[in-house]
Amino acid sequence: GEDVEQSLFLSVREGDSSVINCTYTDSSSTYLYWYKQEPGAGLQLLTYIFSNMDMKQDQRLTVLLNKKDKHLSLRIADTQTGDSAIYFCAESRTGGYNKLIFGAGTRLAVHP
Amino acid sequence: DTGVSQDPRHKITKRGQNVTFRCDPISEHNRLYWYRQTLGQGPEFLTYFQNEAQLEKSRLLSDRFSAERPKGSFSTLEIQRTEQGDSAMYLCASSLSVASGNEQFFGPGTRLTVL
């Protein structure tokens, strides 16, 4: 995950919005993804964005991409306790057989 | 359940033993990936198959590791002469090459503990 960086921890109050940030280094990235991992479980794909887009919205999730700054964010509206998990940002590069390069993950804690 | 499945879910072994893990991808998916995840880290790519052909291997995949996908469906990952440093979660993912975003869907993983 050395080419993809995320902050390690985020704590929010239930009902507030959460914003999880990610920076990446490779300008040839084609797609960028957000995955969610709950304790002891595999990774659940939440959403992805193509590199020529700057925003994608899917229900409570909004992805923003600033390609110039190589910055990706995931906003979760009306955060619930069930959103508590580790969130991973990942990039897929041109010519790399679409293998994913992951960040170390951001642990989101939602408290009442 | 038509998702990616992995077997076993947990494996405890002694150092020096061989272990083999199995992954069954989503049935129509032609791409299959293996990743390894250690505590507090994101998954790291190990190897990739398109149908039965192994097209890429990470430098993380030492000579003790071998992966196969003989009929282009399920895949196995074998670790020979296990070491304590092999302890990790081994994740399998599959995707469809014609899918627009090449979304990779992950299995629940096999947690390996080497004593």
Side-chain angles (χ1 to χ4, degrees):
Chain A
E2 61 184 4
D3 294 336
V4 179
E5 294 189 355
Q6 302 178 237
S7 52
L8 293 182
F9 188 74
L10 177 65
S11 178
V12 299
R13 187 171 308 197
E14 191 174 12
D16 287 352
S17 292
S18 309
V19 180
I20 302 171
N21 295 302
C22 170
T23 57
Y24 61 99
T25 57
D26 197 311
S27 57
S28 69
S29 295
T30 51
Y31 291 96
L32 295 127
Y33 305 82
W34 285 103
Y35 283 87
K36 175 184 180 183
Q37 187 175 40
E38 295 179 89
L43 279 77
Q44 175 193 354
L45 177 64
L46 292 177
T47 187
Y48 68 92
I49 189 167
F50 187 47
S51 58
N52 69 354
M53 298 170 64
D54 51 21
M55 188 183 90
K56 182 177 181 180
Q57 187 156 1
D58 184 359
Q59 299 182 352
R60 291 192 299 124
L61 305 179
T62 303
V63 179
L64 296 178
L65 174 61
N66 181 328
K67 196 170 182 182
K68 174 177 171 289
D69 294 338
K70 299 187 180 68
H71 182 266
L72 181 74
S73 68
L74 174 70
R75 178 176 178 269
I76 305 173
D78 186 26
T79 313
Q80 302 297 307
T81 54
D83 295 323
S84 295
I86 300 176
Y87 291 80
F88 291 96
C89 164
E91 61 170 342
S92 169
R93 298 174 181 171
T94 305
Y97 294 112
N98 298 112
K99 68 184 177 191
L100 298 179
I101 311 297
F102 285 87
T106 299
R107 181 177 295 277
L108 174 65
V110 183
H111 56 88
Chain B
D1 183 63
T2 57
V4 179
S5 62
Q6 293 187 245
D7 184 70
R9 295 289 307 276
H10 303 273
K11 178 70 177 178
I12 299 174
T13 191
K14 293 182 179 179
R15 190 175 53 190
Q17 298 295 304
N18 299 343
V19 294
T20 300
F21 310 141
R22 177 181 171 122
C23 170
D24 286 90
I26 293 170
S27 60
E28 66 269 24
H29 284 186
N30 57 343
R31 292 180 170 177
L32 188 147
Y33 304 80
W34 285 98
Y35 294 84
R36 181 172 69 186
Q37 185 180 23
T38 53
L39 201 60
Q41 299 298 316
E44 294 177 295
F45 169 78
L46 291 178
T47 191
Y48 159 71
F49 290 86
Q50 176 135 338
N51 301 311
E52 67 277 4
Q54 187 176 19
L55 297 184
E56 188 174 358
K57 293 195 294 185
S58 164
R59 57 181 170 77
L60 293 175
L61 219 62
S62 75
D63 291 346
R64 297 184 297 105
F65 287 71
S66 62
E68 294 182 342
R69 194 182 183 198
K71 297 180 181 178
S73 56
F74 74 91
S75 175
T76 57
L77 178 68
E78 181 183 16
I79 309 174
Q80 296 183 326
R81 305 181 303 281
T82 51
E83 301 173 357
Q84 288 185 326
D86 297 331
S87 295
M89 176 80 89
Y90 290 84
L91 295 164
C92 175
S94 70
S95 71
L96 191 58
S97 58
V98 297
S100 62
N102 190 49
E103 302 102 296
Q104 292 183 29
F105 297 92
F106 282 78
T110 295
R111 182 170 295 282
L112 172 66
T113 302
V114 182
L115 302 176

